[in-house]
Amino acid sequence: MLVDFRCRLLTPEFNSILETGHVAREFEQFGHRKPSTMTMDDLLKGMEEAGIETVVSPGRDMETKGGSKVPLEHIAEMQNKYPGKIIGFGGIDCLKGHQAVRDVERSAELGLKGIMIDSMLCEVLANDRRLYPIYARCQHLKMPIIITCAGMGDPRWAAVRPVADVATDFPELKIIVSHTWPYLMDAIHLSVYFPNFFFELSGYFTWPGCDQIVAALNRRLIADHMIFASAFPVSPSLKRVVDRFRQFYGSVRQEVMEKVLRGNAERILGLG
């Protein structure tokens, strides 16, 4: 059974961030089924068909940029409703200053297992010193943090390399970069150097250059650092995503694939 490290839930609260802004444009561009036409039963059925035991469901808070927010309480409610299947990460608006730190603390109080920030969408680099109080509180509370960058975002703010400063300054903080492409060599380099750095390629794991990832996995350069993530429901069929992932990385050693598909995520989350 697998762990999926980026899977949004099919509820009105999550749909508010999936059917507005750039994400809504992606659904339209690729002709994908809108989340509001699906239900949590569809997600649970898809997990079973794909062999996914647990999903990490990160929220999002983009209020300072005029966007919407998934309430922390809703994420906790869904985690409690589906124990063992859903692990919630609180979505934090990284431009909210002291309120962002309080939201990290509130996430911990609610029993959420980690934090996610969208530094790229907030138009700041991951090593912007305004984000450091968030990192400090996450490290203190032993809460892993997902940093959404790279992918199709604005290249002025999407770079992965600035995460090196964060990994250096917060050595006990488990950092997961989401999407990662096209900064693949940077992710490989950071994986070799920083034991607290992890990454996933949700939505991009077959895009140009990912053959480098296959080679790095087989040389065990990133075997302990790469994790599987689907980007559901932007990629609407979990089984199709898992099948394509297994096919593209079919030459990777089985023991390494087991780490990517489950073991590394369990280590980050303290499972097993």
Side-chain angles (χ1 to χ4, degrees):
M1 300 291 281
L2 286 62
V3 176
D4 179 352
F5 222 91
R6 189 184 179 99
C7 178
R8 261 41 187 271
L9 304 181
L10 297 172
T11 67
E13 290 82 358
F14 274 88
N15 291 346
S16 71
I17 66 169
L18 294 171
E19 297 192 354
T20 58
H22 77 286
V23 182
R25 291 192 292 272
E26 290 183 18
F27 278 99
E28 182 176 350
Q29 178 182 355
F30 295 108
H32 291 163
R33 186 179 174 188
K34 288 187 176 181
S36 58
T37 67
M38 298 182 280
T39 68
M40 281 298 298
D41 287 340
D42 292 317
L43 171 57
L44 296 172
K45 181 180 178 182
M47 289 171 60
E48 184 176 357
E49 291 174 346
I52 296 173
E53 180 177 359
T54 303
V55 298
V56 172
S57 297
R60 171 169 284 165
D61 183 348
M62 292 295 299
E63 289 184 328
T64 59
K65 288 294 183 178
S68 55
K69 171 184 178 178
V70 180
L72 301 175
E73 290 77 12
H74 175 69
I75 305 170
E77 176 187 355
M78 298 304 289
Q79 178 178 267
N80 294 334
K81 185 175 180 179
Y82 300 98
K85 290 187 176 296
I86 293 173
I87 292 177
F89 273 43
I92 303 300
D93 188 327
C94 58
L95 296 180
K96 284 186 174 179
H98 294 305
Q99 181 60 50
V101 175
R102 288 194 290 269
D103 285 343
V104 172
E105 295 169 346
R106 178 60 177 157
S107 296
E109 292 169 0
L110 290 167
L112 299 179
K113 305 305 180 184
I115 295 299
M116 192 191 83
I117 60 172
D118 290 276
S119 56
M120 175 183 66
L121 298 179
C122 287
E123 299 180 344
V124 295
L125 293 172
N127 62 353
D128 190 298
R129 290 310 189 265
R130 287 174 290 177
L131 277 56
Y132 268 44
I134 298 173
Y135 299 140
R137 183 52 58 185
C138 286
Q139 178 172 262
H140 176 74
L141 294 171
K142 296 181 170 54
M143 299 184 79
I145 189 166
I146 299 172
I147 303 175
T148 301
C149 54
M152 297 293 285
D154 188 330
R156 292 175 296 171
W157 315 112
V160 169
R161 184 166 290 274
V163 178
D165 289 334
V166 185
T168 298
D169 294 337
F170 300 93
E172 302 303 318
L173 175 62
K174 295 175 182 176
I175 304 163
I176 305 98
V177 165
S178 185
H179 299 321
T180 306
W181 187 93
Y183 305 100
L184 304 178
M185 294 306 296
D186 286 342
I188 293 170
H189 189 184
L190 268 65
S191 295
V192 170
Y193 198 82
F194 296 107
N196 59 327
F197 173 84
F198 304 87
F199 72 96
E200 45 92 339
L201 289 162
S202 57
Y204 301 92
F205 60 79
T206 64
W207 282 45
C210 286
D211 55 316
Q212 297 172 330
I213 297 296
V214 175
L217 284 168
N218 277 326
R219 295 193 67 173
R220 301 182 186 274
L221 297 174
I222 57 175
D224 294 321
H225 298 268
M226 182 176 171
I227 51 180
F228 169 75
S230 70
F232 180 89
V234 178
S235 300
S237 169
L238 286 171
K239 187 176 188 307
R240 188 180 306 132
V241 172
V242 171
D243 288 347
R244 287 179 61 222
F245 191 91
R246 289 186 183 277
Q247 180 181 15
F248 190 85
Y249 295 94
S251 64
V252 176
R253 296 180 181 90
Q254 181 60 35
E255 64 270 23
V256 174
M257 280 295 287
E258 289 175 358
K259 290 184 176 183
V260 173
L261 292 172
R262 184 183 183 99
N264 292 337
E266 289 182 332
R267 185 157 51 91
I268 293 169
L269 296 167
L271 304 176

